Amino acid sequence: MAVTLTEAAARHVTRYLAKRGRGVGVRLGVKTTGCSGLAYKLEYVDEIEPEDMVFEDFGVKVLIEPKSFAYLDGTELDFVREGLNEGFKFNNPRERDRCGCGESFRV
């Protein structure tokens, strides 16, 4: 499978990278934390590392840490606005449970 971006997420990343004046895309990963065990990591990156898995949607590169791919395979990254709030949303088919605060998840 793959990790994909919605058009809204790609637009947001493209705008942010242009504002920064540098960057090749975003790197996604997971870290151990929270009450459910895992949390998503997202960072803007300037260089592709040799071990990165690279996917591309709408001209935006999504880099995945190999150790995180098992948790992220099939995930769609979206950018949503809900009322006054906006941010990235991970639509992950492997996610089985999420903690009440929304900070962590379990596969």
Side-chain angles (χ1 to χ4, degrees):
M1 290 183 83
V3 176
T4 59
L5 289 172
T6 64
E7 191 172 352
R11 269 194 316 269
H12 182 77
V13 170
T14 300
R15 271 188 259 135
Y16 187 80
L17 291 176
K19 193 175 179 180
R20 274 179 91 220
R22 67 185 191 286
V24 296
V26 292
R27 180 175 289 117
L28 304 181
V30 296
K31 62 183 177 180
T32 304
T33 189
C35 38
S36 291
L38 297 170
Y40 295 108
K41 295 189 307 185
L42 182 143
E43 63 183 353
Y44 293 94
V45 292
D46 297 328
E47 292 182 21
I48 298 173
E49 299 295 329
E51 66 273 6
D52 283 333
M53 301 175 74
V54 182
F55 301 95
E56 189 168 337
D57 272 324
F58 303 102
V60 174
K61 287 181 175 43
V62 179
L63 313 172
I64 307 294
E65 302 168 339
K67 65 182 178 158
S68 296
F69 186 69
Y71 303 105
L72 296 172
D73 189 18
T75 298
E76 175 190 65
L77 181 63
D78 195 5
F79 189 79
V80 296
R81 289 192 171 107
E82 295 171 349
L84 298 175
N85 298 317
E86 64 180 20
F88 286 104
K89 180 178 180 185
F90 292 83
N91 299 314
N92 185 346
R94 298 182 183 281
E95 205 175 286
R96 297 290 169 245
D97 193 22
R98 185 170 274 274
C99 73
C101 67
E103 288 296 315
S104 62
F105 69 98
R106 184 175 61 218
V107 292

